[in-house]
Amino acid sequence: MASYLIVPGLNGSGEGHWQRHWLSDISNSYLVEQAIWSRPSEHDWLATLEEAIVAHPGSIIVAHSLGCVLTAGLANSPVAEHVAGALLVAPCDIDRTEKLHPDRLDFQAMPRERLPFASIVVASQNDPYMSFAAARSFAEAWGSGLVDLGDAGHINIASGYGRWTEGYALASGLERRGLAASHTAVWTDRFEARA
């Protein structure tokens, strides 16, 4: 069974967030702890993620928001070969995020390189941080499957996502499908239930 690396976004994932439930529910999951959650630095955050991958080779990354952008930045990293897959939930658009949180991010342009590991993007039709059309475009660029959650906001506590068990099923599917199947399919499943 693969381990899971939990990769939050800006400000981390607070108490009650589905990523926090993941950490308490699944024994082989590990938080990628950033030194400064409130002022993300792409360079520093990526180095921390790479260290976590080296410490837990063969893990599946479970990322939210800016954590998805960070994970997509692994496309040209030498440690990417040690990633078994990535579940990219509610990726944020850097430009939109900078407008919503001015002078907080030190991230460059959105990565568009194809990921060298299996991945699924989980997106919402009404996410304030990224339009669904943009999420679809990035999923295609990254070679990711796509899951449409409908009107799910930013797939966080504010939009009703606490313990989100569908995420566990998606990650298990990534683990089972492996690289070949996950890289070629685009899923458009719609989940309505919220836990």
Side-chain angles (χ1 to χ4, degrees):
M1 175 185 259
S3 296
Y4 298 98
L5 294 178
I6 309 301
V7 183
L10 176 66
N11 296 323
S13 294
E15 199 62 39
H17 191 284
W18 61 265
Q19 285 186 311
R20 291 292 172 173
H21 285 292
W22 196 299
L23 287 164
S24 64
D25 290 350
I26 300 177
S27 61
N28 59 330
S29 60
Y30 306 93
L31 176 66
V32 177
E33 183 75 54
Q34 299 294 348
I36 302 174
W37 288 110
S38 59
R39 297 193 67 82
S41 159
E42 184 175 18
H43 178 268
D44 295 344
W45 278 31
L46 187 59
T48 300
L49 176 56
E50 289 174 331
E51 288 172 8
I53 292 166
V54 170
H56 302 281
S59 292
I60 291 174
I61 295 172
V62 180
H64 182 254
S65 193
L66 191 62
C68 300
V69 179
L70 183 70
T71 301
L74 288 169
N76 297 315
S77 171
V79 304
E81 67 184 41
H82 302 295
V83 175
L87 183 62
L88 307 171
V89 182
C92 69
D93 180 279
I94 293 294
D95 292 337
R96 275 196 186 192
T97 305
E98 285 180 338
K99 287 176 185 170
L100 292 167
H101 303 279
D103 303 318
R104 299 276 298 281
L105 308 184
D106 181 16
F107 268 64
Q108 303 304 311
M110 289 288 294
R112 293 198 69 90
E113 292 85 6
R114 188 175 183 87
L115 294 173
F117 44 79
S119 59
I120 299 172
V121 169
V122 181
S124 165
Q125 293 283 341
N126 63 343
D127 190 337
Y129 288 89
M130 180 178 278
S131 71
F132 187 78
R136 182 184 297 279
S137 174
F138 283 110
E140 289 173 1
W142 297 337
S144 304
L146 177 64
V147 173
D148 176 4
L149 280 193
D151 291 337
H154 196 45
I155 314 173
N156 58 8
I157 297 170
S159 55
Y161 286 83
R163 181 173 274 109
W164 178 52
T165 56
E166 291 88 351
Y168 304 158
L170 288 170
S172 292
L174 251 182
E175 192 173 349
R176 285 191 311 271
R177 284 183 178 98
L179 183 63
S182 291
H183 255 306
T184 57
V186 174
W187 302 286
T188 54
D189 300 333
R190 183 181 291 270
F191 291 97
E192 298 297 340
R194 296 181 189 174

